[in-house]
Structures are given as C-alpha cells and as structure tokens.
Amino acid sequence: DRLGGHDPYSASKAATELVVASWRSAFLYGSKIRLATARAGNVIGGGDWSQDRILPDLARACRDNQILQIRNRYAVRPWQHVLDPLNGYLLLAEALASNNSEKFESSFNFGPEPKDCRNVGELVEAALSYWPGDWSDVTELGAPHEAQNLSLSIDKARNLLNWSPRWSFDEAVAATVLWYRNVEAGADPSMLVRQQISDFGFSE
C-alpha cells in the first residue's frame, strides 16, 4: 500500500520509512553500510510489563483478581510472538551482510499468517483460557481514531528471505500467558525464556 496514515501513530511509521529511504539514497549509495527497515506485527511475549498493553495488563489483572478493562474489542491486529520477528530480523541481517545484498536494502514486514489476525476480544478470550479471569470493554464514544483492521503482507520476507512465522496465534498466546503465569508462580523468568527459545528453534 502507499505510505500514509489517518492518525499520528500510522503517519509516524510512514514518515520513518521516507526518512530511512532518503538517508540511504543520499548518503549510503556505494558505501559498505547496508540499511533496511523491518516492521513487525503486534508483538506479544513474556517479559513485557508495560502499562496499557493488553497481555501485561491481563497478567496483572489475573494476578490481582481484578477485571481487565480493554477498548476496541473488535479491532483486528496481526498478533505474533516476539520470537517470530526476531528470527526474521536475524535472517535479514545475514542477507544484508551477503555479497548480493542490494535487493535486501529496503523494507520488510514480519507478521503472522492472515488467518492469525484476530480481534482484541478473541485475543483476550484465548489468553483467559490459560489464566482464567474476567474482562470488560470500556471503549468510549468519541475516542481518537484508531484503525479497525491492521495486517502485514509477508510475501516479500517469505520469497526473498525464506522466512515464515513458526508459531500460530494459539501457540503465541499460550507461550505468552503461560510465561506470565509461571513467573507469578515462582519460576525463573530467564529459564522460561531460554526454554521457549529452544522450543521455537531458530533458522540456521
């Protein structure tokens, strides 16, 4: 799609792409420095404790026996476990370091398969199947514009990098929520991360 955006968040993404492309053509042409951009979907995974993010908020609500409050339950997003785009970033870095790297000096998307783009309500329901709790939709009328459907075409990454997502929506949600729940039960966070990395298996 053409670069653009109807809100500051999406416009900032488009602006970044333009800045990087102009920098590459103005200052890096013919140099040994390789520059590409990589975009991921809506990334989930254990270890994120930020406020106002659905699964960290869900983990806190379940831990404290509170009702999770969400907004825009029908907004569709390309959810993916953090290990999937990280695998893509590594493959892209290796490609940029190769002798024929020019075709990789551009923009790449790393997202889930189309069938794994789900709405916020589906994400919450799936997550609560691994850590039971309650939730409610607190969307306010007149709230700032937010895109209803977001997705990423991953054809370029699949064709040029031989990359594709390894974990489905269900696998990504299970790995994420069980990480939080096991940490709350006393498990070592770093050991859980290492086990998930091992289970994921990175591309050679």
Side-chain angles (χ1 to χ4, degrees):
D1 296 332
R2 292 183 62 184
L3 294 177
H6 299 291
D7 53 76
Y9 179 79
S10 55
S12 71
K13 301 283 190 182
T16 299
E17 291 296 333
L18 293 172
V19 168
V20 172
S22 64
W23 184 273
R24 180 171 49 230
S25 61
F27 301 112
L28 300 182
Y29 181 77
S31 78
K32 294 182 179 180
I33 299 174
R34 309 300 187 194
L35 181 61
T37 55
R39 289 183 294 260
N42 286 58
V43 175
I44 59 177
D48 180 2
W49 294 106
S50 302
Q51 296 287 336
D52 299 322
R53 291 174 65 85
I54 295 175
L55 294 188
D57 286 349
L58 180 144
R60 283 186 286 266
C62 291
R63 178 195 65 197
D64 300 334
N65 294 315
Q66 296 180 349
I67 297 175
L68 171 68
Q69 297 184 334
I70 67 157
R71 54 188 171 79
N72 296 331
R73 67 175 295 178
Y74 297 112
V76 176
R77 298 291 182 264
W79 310 106
Q80 63 183 151
H81 194 275
V82 63
L83 293 179
D84 260 320
L86 288 180
N87 187 35
Y89 298 164
L90 291 172
L91 289 173
L92 178 56
E94 290 175 349
L96 288 169
S98 69
N99 292 328
N100 58 342
S101 68
E102 286 188 9
K103 65 181 179 180
F104 301 109
E105 295 180 69
S106 57
S107 302
F108 285 83
N109 292 332
F110 299 100
E113 300 289 359
K115 65 182 176 60
D116 286 327
C117 293
R118 309 290 181 86
N119 67 44
V120 170
E122 291 175 297
L123 173 69
V124 171
E125 289 291 348
L128 291 178
S129 70
Y130 296 100
W131 197 349
D134 295 316
W135 67 284
S136 64
D137 189 342
V138 295
T139 303
E140 298 179 3
L141 293 176
H145 174 270
E146 190 170 350
Q148 188 66 19
N149 294 286
L150 293 180
S151 62
L152 295 170
S153 171
I154 58 175
D155 293 343
K156 183 177 178 180
R158 196 192 306 273
N159 294 333
L160 291 185
L161 298 171
N162 197 29
W163 175 91
S164 60
R166 294 192 175 191
W167 280 359
S168 67
F169 171 81
D170 293 327
E171 290 171 315
V173 173
T176 301
V177 177
L178 292 176
W179 187 95
Y180 287 110
R181 191 168 189 181
N182 288 331
V183 167
E184 180 59 26
D188 181 340
S190 111
M191 292 300 294
L192 291 175
V193 169
R194 291 175 185 276
Q195 183 60 55
Q196 288 188 348
I197 290 173
S198 175
D199 293 341
F200 180 85
F202 279 81
S203 299
E204 296 295 333

